[in-house]
Amino acid sequence: MEWSLKEDLRDCLVAAAPYGGPIALLKNNARKEKSPGVRPLLEIYSASGLLLASIPWKSGQLVQLGWTASEDLLCIQEDGTILVYNLFCEFKRHFSMGNEVLQNHVLEAKVFHTEYGTGVAILTGAHRFSLTTNIDDLKLRRMPEVPGLQKPPSCWAVLSQDRVTIILLAVGQDLYLLDNTSCSVVTPPGMSPSAGAYLQMAVSFNYRCLALFTDTGYIWMGLATLKEKLCEFNSSIRSPPKQMVWCMRPQSRQRAVVVAWDRQLMVVGNSTEFVLDEDSYLVPELDGVRILSRTSHEFLHEIPEASQEIFKIASMAPGALLLEAQKEYEKESQKADEYLREIKDQKLLPEAVSQCIEAAGYEHEPDTQKSLLRAASFGKCFIDKFPAESFVHMCQDLRVLNAIRDYQIGIPLTFTQYKRLTIEVLLDRLVLRRLYPLAIRICEYLRLSEIQGVSRILAHWACYKVRRQLGGWPSRSLGWGWGRSGWAVVLLEYEPRSGEQVPLLLKMKRSKLALSKAIESGDTDLVYTVVLLLKNELNRGTFFMTLQNQPVALSLYRQRIEGRVGALQNALDEYYKAKNEFAAKATEDQIKLLRLQRHLQEDFDKPYLDLSLHDTVSNLILDGHHKRAEQLYREFKIPDKRYWWLKISALANRGDWEEMEKFSKSKKSPIGYLPFVEISVKHHNRYEAKKYAPRVTPEQRVKAFVLVGDLDQAADAAIEHKNETEMNFVLSKCTASTDAAVAEKLNRARAQLLKK
C-alpha cells in the first residue's frame, strides 16, 4: 500500500467500495470527545493507497461510512442526516432518514446494494429499524417493532429475498425476521441445541447464503431463506469476531466463510487458518475477500478449476500438458512433440487450448498470463478452424485489466468482477476518477463506437474543465453575453457572491429569482435594490402579490416606508442646513475607505479596491482577517445588525463553525439567534443549527425547531403558545409514516383550542 498510515485501522471508521473500489477513512473519530480541538479527518484513497482527497470533518458525529454503487461516499451522522460526497471529497447533496431517527439518534447503520439501487438501514436509540432501498428515490420505511426489545440486538443484517428487503436480528439465542408488516421468530434448520447466543452474522455477496456465529464458537452456514443448512463448524474461539464475511465464487459448489479476530483469520469450509502481521479489514467481493492492512492489500479467493487443473502437482490435465509442451518447444526439446501427441491422441487439444485461455484470465502476474497465452497460441496452430475470438478477447481483456491494476490507477479488478461490471461501467469509473487519457486509450484499443467511447468521454472531460474554470470565474455573465439566457441562469448558480449574482439576474429580467437570491443572502441592501426595481417594473397589484409571497421582503419594505413617513417632516427642515456637511462627510468617508482598501490590497495581495464597504467586510471575514473587518465596522459605524448578518454569513460560507459559535457568545445578538439557525441549515449543518435553536425568542421557536427537523419540540412550542396557525404549520411538515405521534398530539391540542 502506498499510504503511510500512522493510525491502526481499528481506530478509524473504514469503508471500502466493492469491485476494487476506493477506500474511505475517518481518522480521530474515536478521540473527538476526548480532544475537542482535534477535528476528525476524512480521507479517500485508491485501492493501492494513493490519496485521492481529504477534508477535515466539520459536520456532526459520524456513525458509519459506506459507498454507493456509483462510488459516491455516504457519511451517516448520528442525527440521521446522510451527506453524499464524490471520490474527491466534494459535497454533492444531503438527505435525512426522518424525524424519528433525528429524535432517537443512530446507533448503527448499514449500507447495502440490491436491484433497486443503494439502500441504507438504520438502528435507532429506540431500538427500532428504518430503511430505504434506494437513496436516489427516497422512500423511508419503518420496520415493525420487536416485542419487548429493551436493548440493542447483538447482531443484525439486511437480507433481500424475492425483491423484498427484510432485516434479520439476533437477541440472545433468538432470531427475529422483520418484513414490511410483521415481526416473526425464526429458527435455522439443523441448528445445534447447545449453540448458544448469536454474536455475529454474515450475508453473502449475492444475498443467497447466511452464516451465524455463537458465543460457544459454533458456526452455522445455510441458505438465507433459513430453509436449508449447508454445513456447521465448531471453532475453538469463543470471543466475538471483528468481522465475518463470505468467500465464494459465482456458480461454485465450494462455500466458505472468513472469520477475523485481531490478528487471526480462519476460513471455515476448508479449515484453513492464517496468522496476520497487523490489524486488517475485510472487504467482501463477488468472488473472494479483499484484506486491507497498513502495509498490504491482498485478495483471498478459491482457486478456479482451470488454474487448479493446470498448476497442481503432477497434473495430467490437457491444459497442463499443453503448457509443458510449449515450454519444451522453446527449449527445442523433442519432449514437446511427445506431450502434444499425447493430447492429440486423446482428442483433447481444443479443451487444452480453452483451459489455458481461461486460466490466463484468472492470473494477476503478467508473466504467468503470457506463459498461458503462449501455450494456447501454440496449441491452436495444430487445430483446424479453431475460433480465434476467445483468444483475441482474452488478450484484450487482460491488457485492459493490467492497465487499471497498475498502482497509480489502483483498481484491482479480477477477471470475474470485470465481466460482471462490464466495460461501460469501468469506463464510467475511470471518468469519475478523472482518468480521461486512459479511458480514451482503452476505447481506442477496444475500437468502441464514438458515441459509446471517445466522444462521450471527451464530453465528460469538457464539462469537468468548464466546471473548474467557472469555479474561479469572476462573473457568471458568460452565457448572457452569448445570448443564452437559460444557460446563464444555470451558470449563475455557481456564483457564491450574491453581490455579483443578483445584479446579473436583474439585467436578464429575472427579477423574482433575483429577489429570492437577495433574501437568501441576508443582505438588506440587495433586497431593497431588487424591491425598488420590482416596484418600477410591475403594476401595483402584481408588485404587492409578489411581496406577499416573500415575507422577508415585505417586512423590509414596510419598515422602509414607515421609517420614511416618520422622518419626512424633519427631513425637509434639516436638508438645506445639513446638505454641505453630509456631502463633506460622505466624501471624507469615501476617501478613508479607499485609503484603507489600498492598505488591505498591499497587506494581503487581494483586489479589495473595487468592492463596496459591505463586500470588503465579507471578504475579509472569508479570508480570516477578523481584526481588519472589525476595524472597518468600528471606523465606518456599520450598524450592529448589518455587521452581525455579514459576519455569520461569511463564517458559514467559510465553514468556520467554531468561530461562529464564539461570535454568538461574545455578546447578545442584535439580530436574534434565528439567523444562526437559518444559515446553518442553509449550509447543510443541522448539527450546528441545533445549538442555536433553544436560544431563539419564544415567538421564533416553532420556526427554529422545524428548521432543525425537531418537530416534537416545535409542536410543544406551538401548543404552549396556543397558536392555531403555528400548529397548522408544524402539521404541514409531519409525514404519516414517521410523525404520527406528533400529528396526533397537535390535533388533540388544536381540538381543545377550538372548543374554547
Side-chain angles (χ1 to χ4, degrees):
M1 294 294 280
E2 292 294 313
W3 60 23
S4 300
L5 292 184
K6 296 178 182 177
E7 298 85 355
D8 284 328
L9 288 177
R10 64 167 173 257
D11 295 330
C12 307
L13 269 183
V14 186
Y19 293 96
I23 305 160
L25 297 180
L26 186 75
K27 298 180 177 179
N28 303 320
N29 193 53
R31 297 194 291 271
K32 184 174 181 183
E33 295 180 0
K34 298 178 183 177
S35 307
V38 179
R39 284 191 184 279
L41 189 64
L42 178 64
E43 296 181 335
I44 296 179
Y45 295 89
S46 72
S48 58
L50 285 172
L51 183 65
L52 299 177
S54 68
I55 54 169
W57 187 254
K58 297 180 180 179
S59 193
Q61 180 73 27
L62 276 185
V63 176
Q64 187 68 37
L65 298 173
W67 291 94
T68 68
S70 56
E71 294 195 326
D72 283 332
L73 180 63
L74 301 182
C75 302
I76 304 172
Q77 296 189 153
E78 192 178 39
D79 63 358
T81 303
I82 300 179
L83 286 76
V84 185
Y85 289 83
N86 69 8
L87 279 168
F88 297 96
C89 289
E90 294 168 349
F91 177 78
K92 295 183 70 173
R93 65 187 180 95
H94 79 289
F95 59 92
S96 172
M97 290 297 287
N99 288 314
E100 187 197 352
V101 177
L102 173 66
Q103 292 165 16
N104 296 308
H105 297 298
V106 179
L107 284 185
E108 296 177 29
K110 295 183 190 293
V111 177
F112 58 93
H113 305 281
T114 66
E115 61 267 33
Y116 298 111
T118 300
V120 177
I122 299 287
L123 171 63
T124 70
H127 310 136
R128 296 290 301 269
F129 288 92
S130 293
L131 64 80
T132 177
T133 54
N134 185 358
I135 62 169
D136 295 319
D137 182 19
L138 195 63
K139 293 177 183 176
L140 299 177
R141 179 149 53 97
R142 190 181 183 191
M143 304 302 283
E145 190 172 357
V146 179
L149 185 61
Q150 300 296 323
K151 61 180 181 179
S154 54
C155 55
W156 59 281
V158 180
L159 305 177
S160 182
Q161 295 177 2
D162 299 325
R163 297 188 177 183
V164 177
T165 304
I166 56 180
I167 287 177
L168 180 70
L169 66 137
V171 182
Q173 298 183 13
D174 297 321
L175 282 179
Y176 297 90
L177 202 62
L178 306 182
D179 58 20
N180 289 341
T181 58
S182 62
C183 169
S184 54
V185 180
V186 291
T187 303
M191 175 66 70
S192 170
S194 59
Y198 300 103
L199 297 181
Q200 186 69 277
M201 61 177 66
V203 185
S204 64
F205 198 85
N206 58 10
Y207 292 100
R208 291 178 184 170
C209 298
L210 174 72
L212 302 167
F213 183 95
T214 70
D215 59 2
T216 62
Y218 174 83
I219 299 173
W220 180 93
M221 295 162 61
L223 298 184
T225 56
L226 294 172
K227 293 180 179 178
E228 182 183 340
K229 182 175 80 171
L230 299 174
C231 66
E232 61 183 3
F233 182 80
N234 284 298
S235 70
S236 57
I237 304 174
R238 297 191 171 192
S239 59
K242 282 172 51 182
Q243 283 183 275
M244 183 168 73
V245 299
W246 282 84
C247 180
M248 54 195 286
R249 296 183 59 79
Q251 299 165 349
S252 171
R253 294 183 180 180
Q254 294 290 332
R255 295 181 176 92
V257 171
V258 179
V259 191
W261 288 270
D262 284 337
R263 294 199 176 181
Q264 183 177 355
L265 212 65
M266 180 183 293
V267 183
V268 178
N270 62 0
S271 304
T272 306
E273 293 189 28
F274 299 95
V275 177
L276 305 174
D277 295 330
E278 50 196 349
D279 291 323
S280 299
Y281 180 81
L282 306 184
V283 186
E285 289 282 7
L286 170 72
D287 53 346
V289 179
R290 288 156 63 195
I291 304 172
L292 289 170
S293 71
R294 287 200 298 180
T295 59
S296 65
H297 190 167
E298 300 172 281
F299 184 60
L300 177 65
H301 67 110
E302 176 197 346
I303 299 172
E305 186 177 349
S307 299
Q308 287 188 53
E309 290 293 320
I310 291 174
F311 292 112
K312 68 183 179 183
I313 297 172
S315 173
M316 296 300 290
L321 294 175
L322 181 58
L323 181 62
E324 288 301 318
Q326 196 276 331
K327 289 179 180 177
E328 295 298 331
Y329 175 76
E330 286 187 347
K331 297 177 187 176
E332 299 182 358
S333 169
Q334 65 179 12
K335 287 185 179 180
D337 184 61
E338 295 174 9
Y339 287 129
L340 196 60
R341 194 177 298 278
E342 185 173 347
I343 303 169
K344 292 178 74 175
D345 289 346
Q346 299 178 46
K347 298 182 180 180
L348 294 175
L349 193 52
E351 183 182 338
V353 173
S354 298
Q355 210 169 50
C356 287
I357 293 172
E358 182 185 353
Y362 297 124
E363 295 299 323
H364 283 250
E365 288 295 330
D367 288 342
T368 311
Q369 295 168 1
K370 290 177 184 177
S371 178
L372 288 163
L373 289 173
R374 276 196 297 265
S377 179
F378 175 70
K380 70 185 179 68
C381 293
F382 299 95
I383 304 174
D384 293 333
K385 297 180 181 179
F386 182 84
E389 289 81 4
S390 60
F391 181 83
V392 173
H393 290 159
M394 183 58 74
C395 291
Q396 291 175 333
D397 291 339
L398 286 177
R399 191 167 183 186
V400 171
L401 285 170
N402 290 338
I404 64 170
R405 287 169 182 167
D406 183 272
Y407 80 97
Q408 292 179 315
I409 307 301
I411 307 179
L413 279 180
T414 64
F415 182 75
T416 305
Q417 294 166 18
Y418 170 67
K419 285 301 178 183
R420 176 69 64 89
L421 199 64
T422 72
I423 185 62
E424 291 80 11
V425 176
L426 176 59
L427 290 172
D428 287 341
R429 297 198 168 189
L430 293 174
V431 167
L432 281 176
R433 289 162 172 76
R434 299 167 187 167
L435 299 170
Y436 305 107
L438 176 60
I440 289 172
R441 289 286 300 277
I442 290 174
C443 290
E444 292 172 342
Y445 174 65
L446 297 178
R447 298 179 182 176
L448 300 178
S449 67
E450 287 288 313
I451 295 174
Q452 183 187 14
V454 174
S455 294
R456 184 173 67 89
I457 292 163
L458 285 174
H460 281 291
W461 169 80
C463 291
Y464 166 65
K465 284 293 184 182
V466 169
R467 280 197 300 270
R468 281 193 66 186
Q469 183 68 31
L470 293 178
W473 201 270
S475 173
R476 311 295 181 207
S477 59
L478 184 63
W480 177 248
W482 289 348
R484 301 289 185 89
S485 59
W487 186 33
V489 172
V490 173
L491 293 177
L492 274 171
E493 290 296 328
Y494 290 93
E495 174 57 70
R497 294 174 297 179
S498 301
E500 296 283 345
Q501 190 181 40
V502 171
L504 283 168
L505 287 169
L506 291 172
K507 187 178 179 182
M508 290 185 281
K509 306 298 183 185
R510 301 295 182 98
S511 305
K512 293 180 182 179
L513 180 58
L515 180 60
S516 298
K517 294 296 182 183
I519 292 169
E520 285 178 18
S521 74
D523 189 331
T524 52
D525 291 343
L526 269 180
V527 178
Y528 283 137
T529 301
V530 180
V531 167
L532 291 174
L533 281 169
L534 281 173
K535 189 173 185 295
N536 295 328
E537 184 181 298
L538 304 174
N539 63 52
R540 185 180 178 84
T542 307
F543 171 69
F544 282 107
M545 282 297 293
T546 303
L547 291 193
Q548 194 67 35
N549 295 327
Q550 298 285 4
V552 175
L554 182 61
S555 175
L556 288 171
Y557 182 70
R558 188 172 59 242
Q559 289 174 23
R560 191 180 184 91
I561 295 299
E562 289 171 354
R564 283 186 172 184
V565 170
L568 187 58
Q569 293 180 0
N570 293 331
L572 286 172
D573 295 337
E574 296 291 329
Y575 174 70
Y576 292 103
K577 178 181 174 183
K579 180 180 177 182
N580 294 333
E581 182 183 339
F582 286 162
K585 182 67 169 65
T587 305
E588 180 188 335
D589 280 354
Q590 190 175 14
I591 293 169
K592 194 187 298 181
L593 175 60
L594 285 170
R595 189 184 302 120
L596 185 56
Q597 286 179 331
R598 281 200 174 89
H599 287 311
L600 293 174
Q601 186 166 344
E602 291 168 5
D603 291 350
F604 305 121
D605 191 26
K606 268 285 201 180
Y608 291 115
L609 260 175
D610 298 328
L611 301 176
S612 68
L613 175 62
H614 291 163
D615 282 340
T616 302
V617 171
S618 293
N619 282 4
L620 283 169
I621 296 168
L622 274 170
D623 293 340
H625 307 307
H626 300 293
K627 289 185 179 178
R628 285 298 178 92
E630 188 87 10
Q631 181 183 356
L632 279 178
Y633 158 58
R634 304 283 181 203
E635 191 163 353
F636 291 94
K637 297 182 174 60
I638 298 174
D640 286 350
K641 290 184 178 181
R642 183 77 199 107
Y643 179 68
W644 276 66
W645 260 111
L646 286 171
K647 184 153 185 174
I648 64 174
S649 297
L651 288 173
N653 282 330
R654 192 176 178 220
D656 196 344
W657 304 107
E658 290 179 5
E659 186 65 32
M660 185 188 285
E661 189 171 0
K662 289 179 187 175
F663 183 58
S664 73
K665 294 177 179 177
S666 61
K667 59 181 178 180
K668 187 176 179 181
S669 168
I671 57 173
Y673 293 96
L674 185 59
F676 285 82
V677 177
E678 292 172 333
I679 288 174
S680 299
V681 171
K682 179 183 172 184
H683 286 79
H684 315 299
N685 197 335
R686 288 194 179 186
Y687 180 78
E688 290 293 330
K690 287 165 71 175
K691 295 179 182 177
Y692 303 112
R695 297 165 65 181
V696 304
T697 61
E699 296 79 16
Q700 297 172 334
R701 279 181 186 163
V702 172
K703 184 177 181 181
F705 285 124
V706 168
L707 282 171
V708 299
D710 194 341
L711 294 186
D712 197 31
Q713 289 206 56
D716 290 341
I719 292 167
E720 185 181 343
H721 297 162
K722 298 180 180 179
N723 188 317
E724 187 183 357
T725 304
E726 290 183 344
M727 292 181 193
N728 290 336
F729 174 60
V730 179
L731 271 171
S732 69
K733 303 295 181 182
C734 293
T735 57
S737 58
T738 57
D739 307 307
V742 175
E744 185 181 351
K745 178 167 61 176
L746 284 165
N747 285 324
R748 282 201 309 269
R750 195 170 60 166
Q752 291 176 1
L753 191 65
L754 291 172
K755 284 180 183 177
K756 294 180 181 179

